[in-house]
Amino acid sequence: MNIPNSVQPPVTLTIAGSDCSSGAGLQADLKAFSFHGCHGLTAVTCVVAETPEHVESIHPVPPAILQEQLEILLSTYPIKAVKTGMLYSKAHLVAAYELLEKSDIALVVDPVMVATSGASLVDQSAISAYKDRLLPLATLITPNMPEASVLLGRPVETKDDLEKAAQDLAEKFNTSCLLKGGHLPGDDDRLDILWHEGLAHHFTASKIDIACTHGTGCTLSAAITAQLAHGVEMVDAVSASLDWVHSAIMNSFQWNSPSGNTIHCLNHLRSGSLH
Ligand code: PXL
């Protein structure tokens, strides 16, 4: 008789929207979790009909159904780390907050507000709930520059704005903050800044001239969540995850679409490293 090997990979959970094109949202998170050797769970907040270029429609899942998914998952699995992506409305955000508040699971909050294609992914009512509830609960927050501007109420537009903004966000919400500099203008090197335990960590890489950026934010925060679930320390978790996403962009998939366009997707299957 074959006795199966019993293995216990760390369990991670994403609370996010469904991106039917699978480059972003919970599909990206699940691929990133699997790649990093975690068993990924999903709690769906909304169903988004979209492609990398275009958001067609957003269909929120009733908040009570989000709550049911979370209750059953949190009471059944030994979850090591959670990430939130597109929460969409205040009611979804509060449903997630009320359950997460009772646990001390590592929490990565990607305060998703706008898709790479430019479409808004958040109801305005959610912004104050982010500030008052979810961000102060987080182990790490991963805003991009427009999200940092909204959260701080001031422009975050230049390289010189980044470090102070990362520090102010970390201190304001009593957390660690990875501020992503992907929206910096020009062809300078990429700069992302982590403010963690009173220190700034600068991560630089050459800017990639490539069309495939849809889902990079989701994928990055999911990779960090997986690394934290493995017990990797914050600075190493961020550094390894940035390298991995860089590789997923450099090796992205490309197809000719029936409509005549070229369509891209991040390559979530690229090899990365676990510290
Ligand atoms: O990249 C942000 C994002 C997050 N979540 C979902 C998305 C997107 C972008 O399109 O669709 C579900």
Side-chain angles (χ1 to χ4, degrees), residues 16-19 24-26 48 50 55 85-86 112 114-116 121 214-215 217-218:
S18 163
D19 165 12
L26 65 87
V48 186
E50 65 177 317
V55 174
M86 181 177 173
V112 172
V114 181
T116 313
L121 297 177
H214 174 70
C218 304

Side-chain angles (χ1 to χ4, degrees), residues 102-126:
K102 297 182 199 139
S103 79
D104 58 357
I105 304 172
L107 173 64
V108 176
V109 176
D110 184 9
V112 172
M113 294 180 189
V114 181
T116 313
S117 61
S120 176
L121 297 177
V122 72
D123 186 310
Q124 286 313 302
S125 68

